[in-house]
PDB file of all heavy atoms in Angstrom:
ATOM      1  N   GLU A  32      -2.394  -5.041  14.613  1.00  0.00           N
ATOM      2  CA  GLU A  32      -3.113  -5.749  15.712  1.00  0.00           C
ATOM      3  C   GLU A  32      -3.973  -4.919  16.453  1.00  0.00           C
ATOM      4  O   GLU A  32      -4.494  -5.170  17.535  1.00  0.00           O
ATOM      5  CB  GLU A  32      -2.164  -6.504  16.581  1.00  0.00           C
ATOM      6  CG  GLU A  32      -1.330  -7.476  15.861  1.00  0.00           C
ATOM      7  CD  GLU A  32      -0.394  -8.263  16.750  1.00  0.00           C
ATOM      8  OE1 GLU A  32      -0.601  -8.410  18.054  1.00  0.00           O
ATOM      9  OE2 GLU A  32       0.531  -8.777  16.183  1.00  0.00           O
ATOM     10  N   ALA A  33      -4.634  -3.844  15.823  1.00  0.00           N
ATOM     11  CA  ALA A  33      -5.649  -3.101  16.501  1.00  0.00           C
ATOM     12  C   ALA A  33      -6.930  -3.532  16.214  1.00  0.00           C
ATOM     13  O   ALA A  33      -7.258  -4.144  15.110  1.00  0.00           O
ATOM     14  CB  ALA A  33      -5.492  -1.566  15.920  1.00  0.00           C
ATOM     15  N   THR A  34      -7.894  -3.472  17.120  1.00  0.00           N
ATOM     16  CA  THR A  34      -9.241  -3.844  16.918  1.00  0.00           C
ATOM     17  C   THR A  34     -10.197  -2.728  17.335  1.00  0.00           C
ATOM     18  O   THR A  34     -10.124  -2.011  18.380  1.00  0.00           O
ATOM     19  CB  THR A  34      -9.646  -4.964  17.916  1.00  0.00           C
ATOM     20  OG1 THR A  34      -8.747  -6.131  17.582  1.00  0.00           O
ATOM     21  CG2 THR A  34     -11.085  -5.471  17.689  1.00  0.00           C
ATOM     22  N   PHE A  35     -11.011  -2.340  16.328  1.00  0.00           N
ATOM     23  CA  PHE A  35     -12.086  -1.262  16.511  1.00  0.00           C
ATOM     24  C   PHE A  35     -13.379  -2.010  16.634  1.00  0.00           C
ATOM     25  O   PHE A  35     -13.800  -2.439  15.513  1.00  0.00           O
ATOM     26  CB  PHE A  35     -12.081  -0.179  15.494  1.00  0.00           C
ATOM     27  CG  PHE A  35     -10.697   0.627  15.400  1.00  0.00           C
ATOM     28  CD1 PHE A  35      -9.693   0.066  14.808  1.00  0.00           C
ATOM     29  CD2 PHE A  35     -10.615   1.875  15.991  1.00  0.00           C
ATOM     30  CE1 PHE A  35      -8.559   0.860  14.671  1.00  0.00           C
ATOM     31  CE2 PHE A  35      -9.481   2.577  16.035  1.00  0.00           C
ATOM     32  CZ  PHE A  35      -8.426   2.119  15.377  1.00  0.00           C
ATOM     33  N   THR A  36     -14.127  -2.082  17.743  1.00  0.00           N
ATOM     34  CA  THR A  36     -15.286  -2.907  17.749  1.00  0.00           C
ATOM     35  C   THR A  36     -16.460  -2.058  17.058  1.00  0.00           C
ATOM     36  O   THR A  36     -17.322  -2.708  16.578  1.00  0.00           O
ATOM     37  CB  THR A  36     -15.762  -3.219  19.173  1.00  0.00           C
ATOM     38  OG1 THR A  36     -15.955  -1.925  20.001  1.00  0.00           O
ATOM     39  CG2 THR A  36     -14.659  -4.136  19.907  1.00  0.00           C
ATOM     40  N   GLY A  37     -16.397  -0.825  17.033  1.00  0.00           N
ATOM     41  CA  GLY A  37     -17.197   0.040  16.218  1.00  0.00           C
ATOM     42  C   GLY A  37     -16.639   0.419  14.881  1.00  0.00           C
ATOM     43  O   GLY A  37     -15.869  -0.215  14.423  1.00  0.00           O
ATOM     44  N   ASP A  38     -17.201   1.592  14.365  1.00  0.00           N
ATOM     45  CA  ASP A  38     -16.681   2.037  13.145  1.00  0.00           C
ATOM     46  C   ASP A  38     -15.533   3.031  13.330  1.00  0.00           C
ATOM     47  O   ASP A  38     -15.487   3.605  14.360  1.00  0.00           O
ATOM     48  CB  ASP A  38     -17.926   2.811  12.363  1.00  0.00           C
ATOM     49  CG  ASP A  38     -18.985   1.825  11.960  1.00  0.00           C
ATOM     50  OD1 ASP A  38     -18.734   0.673  11.806  1.00  0.00           O
ATOM     51  OD2 ASP A  38     -19.990   2.491  11.820  1.00  0.00           O
ATOM     52  N   ALA A  39     -14.577   2.976  12.412  1.00  0.00           N
ATOM     53  CA  ALA A  39     -13.454   3.944  12.454  1.00  0.00           C
ATOM     54  C   ALA A  39     -13.616   4.875  11.224  1.00  0.00           C
ATOM     55  O   ALA A  39     -13.724   4.403  10.199  1.00  0.00           O
ATOM     56  CB  ALA A  39     -12.153   3.191  12.514  1.00  0.00           C
ATOM     57  N   TYR A  40     -13.519   6.142  11.511  1.00  0.00           N
ATOM     58  CA  TYR A  40     -13.727   7.189  10.572  1.00  0.00           C
ATOM     59  C   TYR A  40     -12.304   7.881  10.250  1.00  0.00           C
ATOM     60  O   TYR A  40     -11.837   8.499  11.099  1.00  0.00           O
ATOM     61  CB  TYR A  40     -14.741   8.286  10.849  1.00  0.00           C
ATOM     62  CG  TYR A  40     -16.041   7.612  11.033  1.00  0.00           C
ATOM     63  CD1 TYR A  40     -16.535   7.117  12.278  1.00  0.00           C
ATOM     64  CD2 TYR A  40     -16.942   7.323   9.951  1.00  0.00           C
ATOM     65  CE1 TYR A  40     -17.839   6.448  12.456  1.00  0.00           C
ATOM     66  CE2 TYR A  40     -18.215   6.772  10.003  1.00  0.00           C
ATOM     67  CZ  TYR A  40     -18.561   6.338  11.328  1.00  0.00           C
ATOM     68  OH  TYR A  40     -19.778   5.764  11.571  1.00  0.00           O
ATOM     69  N   PHE A  41     -11.818   7.790   8.997  1.00  0.00           N
ATOM     70  CA  PHE A  41     -10.619   8.455   8.643  1.00  0.00           C
ATOM     71  C   PHE A  41     -10.911   9.390   7.494  1.00  0.00           C
ATOM     72  O   PHE A  41     -10.068   9.699   6.648  1.00  0.00           O
ATOM     73  CB  PHE A  41      -9.550   7.451   8.161  1.00  0.00           C
ATOM     74  CG  PHE A  41      -9.087   6.625   9.384  1.00  0.00           C
ATOM     75  CD1 PHE A  41      -9.761   5.289   9.453  1.00  0.00           C
ATOM     76  CD2 PHE A  41      -8.034   6.910  10.170  1.00  0.00           C
ATOM     77  CE1 PHE A  41      -9.333   4.403  10.572  1.00  0.00           C
ATOM     78  CE2 PHE A  41      -7.706   6.065  11.134  1.00  0.00           C
ATOM     79  CZ  PHE A  41      -8.229   4.818  11.368  1.00  0.00           C
ATOM     80  N   ARG A  42     -12.125  10.001   7.365  1.00  0.00           N
ATOM     81  CA  ARG A  42     -12.510  10.869   6.272  1.00  0.00           C
ATOM     82  C   ARG A  42     -11.654  12.071   6.319  1.00  0.00           C
ATOM     83  O   ARG A  42     -11.425  12.747   7.244  1.00  0.00           O
ATOM     84  CB  ARG A  42     -14.027  11.223   6.479  1.00  0.00           C
ATOM     85  CG  ARG A  42     -14.948  10.123   6.441  1.00  0.00           C
ATOM     86  CD  ARG A  42     -16.406  10.669   6.460  1.00  0.00           C
ATOM     87  NE  ARG A  42     -17.300   9.543   6.790  1.00  0.00           N
ATOM     88  CZ  ARG A  42     -18.125   9.649   7.831  1.00  0.00           C
ATOM     89  NH1 ARG A  42     -18.337  10.731   8.434  1.00  0.00           N
ATOM     90  NH2 ARG A  42     -18.925   8.602   8.141  1.00  0.00           N
ATOM     91  N   GLU A  43     -11.116  12.423   5.093  1.00  0.00           N
ATOM     92  CA  GLU A  43     -10.368  13.524   4.833  1.00  0.00           C
ATOM     93  C   GLU A  43      -9.050  13.444   5.477  1.00  0.00           C
ATOM     94  O   GLU A  43      -8.335  14.609   5.616  1.00  0.00           O
ATOM     95  CB  GLU A  43     -11.100  14.885   5.030  1.00  0.00           C
ATOM     96  CG  GLU A  43     -12.381  14.942   4.214  1.00  0.00           C
ATOM     97  CD  GLU A  43     -12.191  15.176   2.791  1.00  0.00           C
ATOM     98  OE1 GLU A  43     -11.281  15.687   2.488  1.00  0.00           O
ATOM     99  OE2 GLU A  43     -13.223  14.642   2.101  1.00  0.00           O
ATOM    100  N   ALA A  44      -8.612  12.339   6.128  1.00  0.00           N
ATOM    101  CA  ALA A  44      -7.260  12.278   6.841  1.00  0.00           C
ATOM    102  C   ALA A  44      -6.224  12.315   5.844  1.00  0.00           C
ATOM    103  O   ALA A  44      -6.375  11.812   4.658  1.00  0.00           O
ATOM    104  CB  ALA A  44      -7.302  11.081   7.669  1.00  0.00           C
ATOM    105  N   ILE A  45      -5.052  12.824   6.272  1.00  0.00           N
ATOM    106  CA  ILE A  45      -3.863  12.841   5.527  1.00  0.00           C
ATOM    107  C   ILE A  45      -2.809  12.052   6.231  1.00  0.00           C
ATOM    108  O   ILE A  45      -2.551  12.228   7.371  1.00  0.00           O
ATOM    109  CB  ILE A  45      -3.392  14.289   5.193  1.00  0.00           C
ATOM    110  CG1 ILE A  45      -4.446  15.120   4.551  1.00  0.00           C
ATOM    111  CG2 ILE A  45      -2.117  14.264   4.461  1.00  0.00           C
ATOM    112  CD1 ILE A  45      -4.161  16.603   4.450  1.00  0.00           C
ATOM    113  N   PHE A  46      -2.272  11.158   5.441  1.00  0.00           N
ATOM    114  CA  PHE A  46      -1.087  10.235   5.933  1.00  0.00           C
ATOM    115  C   PHE A  46       0.102  10.618   5.133  1.00  0.00           C
ATOM    116  O   PHE A  46       0.330  10.292   3.963  1.00  0.00           O
ATOM    117  CB  PHE A  46      -1.415   8.760   5.743  1.00  0.00           C
ATOM    118  CG  PHE A  46      -2.668   8.348   6.494  1.00  0.00           C
ATOM    119  CD1 PHE A  46      -3.919   8.441   5.911  1.00  0.00           C
ATOM    120  CD2 PHE A  46      -2.631   7.803   7.691  1.00  0.00           C
ATOM    121  CE1 PHE A  46      -5.113   8.083   6.536  1.00  0.00           C
ATOM    122  CE2 PHE A  46      -3.706   7.443   8.405  1.00  0.00           C
ATOM    123  CZ  PHE A  46      -4.931   7.541   7.788  1.00  0.00           C
ATOM    124  N   THR A  47       1.097  11.395   5.812  1.00  0.00           N
ATOM    125  CA  THR A  47       2.307  11.865   5.195  1.00  0.00           C
ATOM    126  C   THR A  47       3.361  10.790   4.915  1.00  0.00           C
ATOM    127  O   THR A  47       4.048  10.879   4.040  1.00  0.00           O
ATOM    128  CB  THR A  47       2.871  13.057   5.842  1.00  0.00           C
ATOM    129  OG1 THR A  47       3.237  12.713   7.207  1.00  0.00           O
ATOM    130  CG2 THR A  47       1.820  14.200   5.912  1.00  0.00           C
ATOM    131  N   GLY A  48       3.412   9.835   5.906  1.00  0.00           N
ATOM    132  CA  GLY A  48       4.417   8.818   5.933  1.00  0.00           C
ATOM    133  C   GLY A  48       3.772   7.588   5.534  1.00  0.00           C
ATOM    134  O   GLY A  48       2.625   7.470   5.106  1.00  0.00           O
ATOM    135  N   ASN A  49       4.412   6.487   5.825  1.00  0.00           N
ATOM    136  CA  ASN A  49       4.046   5.019   5.669  1.00  0.00           C
ATOM    137  C   ASN A  49       2.801   4.811   6.596  1.00  0.00           C
ATOM    138  O   ASN A  49       2.875   5.106   7.749  1.00  0.00           O
ATOM    139  CB  ASN A  49       5.046   4.096   5.770  1.00  0.00           C
ATOM    140  CG  ASN A  49       4.663   2.675   5.140  1.00  0.00           C
ATOM    141  OD1 ASN A  49       3.700   2.648   4.417  1.00  0.00           O
ATOM    142  ND2 ASN A  49       5.375   1.723   5.539  1.00  0.00           N
ATOM    143  N   ALA A  50       1.746   4.247   6.144  1.00  0.00           N
ATOM    144  CA  ALA A  50       0.579   3.910   6.899  1.00  0.00           C
ATOM    145  C   ALA A  50       0.241   2.380   6.870  1.00  0.00           C
ATOM    146  O   ALA A  50       0.203   2.014   5.732  1.00  0.00           O
ATOM    147  CB  ALA A  50      -0.684   4.698   6.400  1.00  0.00           C
ATOM    148  N   VAL A  51       0.192   1.791   7.919  1.00  0.00           N
ATOM    149  CA  VAL A  51      -0.043   0.261   7.996  1.00  0.00           C
ATOM    150  C   VAL A  51      -1.352   0.025   8.752  1.00  0.00           C
ATOM    151  O   VAL A  51      -1.396   0.445   9.901  1.00  0.00           O
ATOM    152  CB  VAL A  51       1.134  -0.329   8.658  1.00  0.00           C
ATOM    153  CG1 VAL A  51       0.843  -1.852   8.745  1.00  0.00           C
ATOM    154  CG2 VAL A  51       2.531  -0.134   8.008  1.00  0.00           C
ATOM    155  N   PHE A  52      -2.197  -0.684   8.230  1.00  0.00           N
ATOM    156  CA  PHE A  52      -3.558  -0.889   8.789  1.00  0.00           C
ATOM    157  C   PHE A  52      -3.654  -2.441   8.752  1.00  0.00           C
ATOM    158  O   PHE A  52      -4.356  -3.022   7.833  1.00  0.00           O
ATOM    159  CB  PHE A  52      -4.634  -0.328   8.024  1.00  0.00           C
ATOM    160  CG  PHE A  52      -4.730   1.249   8.095  1.00  0.00           C
ATOM    161  CD1 PHE A  52      -4.151   2.037   7.327  1.00  0.00           C
ATOM    162  CD2 PHE A  52      -5.500   1.756   9.174  1.00  0.00           C
ATOM    163  CE1 PHE A  52      -4.250   3.400   7.396  1.00  0.00           C
ATOM    164  CE2 PHE A  52      -5.638   3.158   9.382  1.00  0.00           C
ATOM    165  CZ  PHE A  52      -4.941   4.033   8.540  1.00  0.00           C
ATOM    166  N   ARG A  53      -3.066  -3.149   9.644  1.00  0.00           N
ATOM    167  CA  ARG A  53      -3.343  -4.684   9.786  1.00  0.00           C
ATOM    168  C   ARG A  53      -4.297  -4.721  11.021  1.00  0.00           C
ATOM    169  O   ARG A  53      -3.823  -5.042  12.126  1.00  0.00           O
ATOM    170  CB  ARG A  53      -2.116  -5.378  10.064  1.00  0.00           C
ATOM    171  CG  ARG A  53      -1.267  -5.256   8.804  1.00  0.00           C
ATOM    172  CD  ARG A  53      -0.023  -6.194   8.955  1.00  0.00           C
ATOM    173  NE  ARG A  53       0.810  -5.955   7.788  1.00  0.00           N
ATOM    174  CZ  ARG A  53       2.052  -5.497   7.799  1.00  0.00           C
ATOM    175  NH1 ARG A  53       2.568  -5.151   8.942  1.00  0.00           N
ATOM    176  NH2 ARG A  53       2.858  -5.351   6.680  1.00  0.00           N
ATOM    177  N   ALA A  54      -5.591  -4.410  10.820  1.00  0.00           N
ATOM    178  CA  ALA A  54      -6.453  -4.127  11.938  1.00  0.00           C
ATOM    179  C   ALA A  54      -7.807  -4.818  11.531  1.00  0.00           C
ATOM    180  O   ALA A  54      -8.102  -5.089  10.382  1.00  0.00           O
ATOM    181  CB  ALA A  54      -6.643  -2.762  12.222  1.00  0.00           C
ATOM    182  N   LYS A  55      -8.667  -4.846  12.600  1.00  0.00           N
ATOM    183  CA  LYS A  55     -10.019  -5.300  12.493  1.00  0.00           C
ATOM    184  C   LYS A  55     -10.928  -4.020  12.814  1.00  0.00           C
ATOM    185  O   LYS A  55     -10.709  -3.362  13.817  1.00  0.00           O
ATOM    186  CB  LYS A  55     -10.449  -6.471  13.477  1.00  0.00           C
ATOM    187  CG  LYS A  55      -9.621  -7.626  13.050  1.00  0.00           C
ATOM    188  CD  LYS A  55      -9.904  -8.754  14.045  1.00  0.00           C
ATOM    189  CE  LYS A  55      -9.008 -10.026  13.839  1.00  0.00           C
ATOM    190  NZ  LYS A  55      -9.242 -11.040  14.896  1.00  0.00           N
ATOM    191  N   PHE A  56     -11.938  -3.835  11.966  1.00  0.00           N
ATOM    192  CA  PHE A  56     -12.969  -2.830  12.133  1.00  0.00           C
ATOM    193  C   PHE A  56     -14.406  -3.239  12.116  1.00  0.00           C
ATOM    194  O   PHE A  56     -14.657  -4.262  11.415  1.00  0.00           O
ATOM    195  CB  PHE A  56     -12.714  -1.669  11.005  1.00  0.00           C
ATOM    196  CG  PHE A  56     -11.361  -1.111  10.873  1.00  0.00           C
ATOM    197  CD1 PHE A  56     -10.435  -1.634  10.027  1.00  0.00           C
ATOM    198  CD2 PHE A  56     -11.065   0.037  11.644  1.00  0.00           C
ATOM    199  CE1 PHE A  56      -9.150  -1.094   9.944  1.00  0.00           C
ATOM    200  CE2 PHE A  56      -9.780   0.653  11.554  1.00  0.00           C
ATOM    201  CZ  PHE A  56      -8.848   0.042  10.667  1.00  0.00           C
ATOM    202  N   GLY A  57     -15.305  -2.568  12.863  1.00  0.00           N
ATOM    203  CA  GLY A  57     -16.625  -2.766  12.563  1.00  0.00           C
ATOM    204  C   GLY A  57     -16.902  -2.308  11.171  1.00  0.00           C
ATOM    205  O   GLY A  57     -17.364  -2.997  10.253  1.00  0.00           O
ATOM    206  N   GLY A  58     -16.519  -1.039  10.846  1.00  0.00           N
ATOM    207  CA  GLY A  58     -16.659  -0.561   9.586  1.00  0.00           C
ATOM    208  C   GLY A  58     -15.462   0.389   9.396  1.00  0.00           C
ATOM    209  O   GLY A  58     -15.083   1.070  10.424  1.00  0.00           O
ATOM    210  N   ALA A  59     -14.862   0.590   8.257  1.00  0.00           N
ATOM    211  CA  ALA A  59     -13.751   1.517   8.038  1.00  0.00           C
ATOM    212  C   ALA A  59     -14.063   2.425   6.948  1.00  0.00           C
ATOM    213  O   ALA A  59     -14.446   2.036   5.784  1.00  0.00           O
ATOM    214  CB  ALA A  59     -12.519   0.677   7.774  1.00  0.00           C
TER     215      ALA A  59
END
Side-chain angles (χ1 to χ4, degrees):
E32 296 184 21
T34 300
F35 295 84
T36 60
D38 295 334
Y40 299 94
F41 295 92
R42 293 184 203 132
E43 305 292 327
I45 299 170
F46 298 88
T47 63
N49 197 17
V51 177
F52 289 90
R53 292 189 188 116
K55 296 177 184 175
F56 300 94

